[in-house]
DNA sequence: ATCCTGACTGTTC
DNA sequence: AGAACAGCCAGGA
């Protein structure tokens, strides 16, 4: 990985690496576990830099309290993410939405 | 130190 | 349910 990666970014990547297969986590959720309360954007930035070194496809945005949705800007990348998730048995809606009550990651410990 | 940026979010319309 | 807005955070110029 890039030697210039900050400790914070490495921590974020470490959290993402813990998201189990067949499950998805939101940007903010990852940020919070990594120690950045409202840093959803920070998670996004870290992911962008990390590339495919982590299960990037398991990180999504929030659409409503119980639903998440693919937040990739590039339509092609979004399609790829959807494919990867479906391959893990995660049901992705036509609009790229996902039921968090079913596939949302629940980190154990504190919340 | 200051300003701008963005794979974010909760609140309002 | 979906679009517009206004905060929020850390990194980079």
């Amino acid at each position: 990985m890039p030697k210039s990666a900050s400790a914070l970014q490495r921590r974020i990547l470490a959290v993402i690496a813990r998201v189990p297969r067949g499950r998805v986590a939101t940007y903010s959720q990852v940020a919070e576990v990594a120690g950045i309360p409202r840093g959803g954007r920070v998670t996004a930035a870290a992911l962008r830099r990390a590339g495919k070194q982590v299960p990037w496809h398991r990180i999504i945005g929030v659409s409503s309290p119980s639903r998440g949705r693919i937040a990739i800007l590039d339509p092609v990348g979004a399609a790829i993410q959807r494919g990867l998730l479906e391959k893990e048995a995660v049901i992705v809606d036509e609009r790229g939405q996902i039921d968090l009550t079913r596939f949302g990651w629940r980190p154990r410990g504190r919340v």
Side-chain angles (χ1 to χ4, degrees):
Chain A
M1 71 166 94
K3 44 196 170 185
S4 54
S6 71
L8 206 44
Q9 282 192 37
R10 282 191 299 258
R11 205 173 310 163
I12 290 176
L13 298 184
V15 173
I16 294 175
R18 294 200 194 91
V19 181
R21 214 161 153 293
R23 281 286 169 76
V24 295
T26 68
Y27 296 92
S28 295
Q29 184 176 22
V30 171
E32 185 169 11
V33 176
I36 313 171
R38 290 156 223 70
R41 312 185 86 147
V42 179
T43 297
L47 261 178
R48 194 150 140 21
R49 284 195 73 185
K52 306 159 195 192
Q53 304 176 74
V54 291
W56 63 277
H57 59 285
R58 297 185 196 148
I59 309 306
I60 62 180
V62 177
S63 178
S64 78
S66 58
R67 291 183 319 170
R69 72 125 216 259
I70 292 179
I72 303 298
L73 285 79
D74 173 34
V76 178
I80 294 176
Q81 175 170 28
R82 194 165 112 187
L84 288 172
L85 288 175
E86 298 185 317
K87 198 169 66 175
E88 297 187 351
V90 174
I91 298 175
V92 183
D93 179 281
E94 294 293 322
R95 307 190 201 70
Q97 297 186 152
I98 301 169
D99 182 353
L100 291 179
T101 65
R102 290 187 56 186
F103 307 103
W105 176 46
R106 295 118 192 210
R108 350 170 226 178
R110 45 65 100 100
V111 182

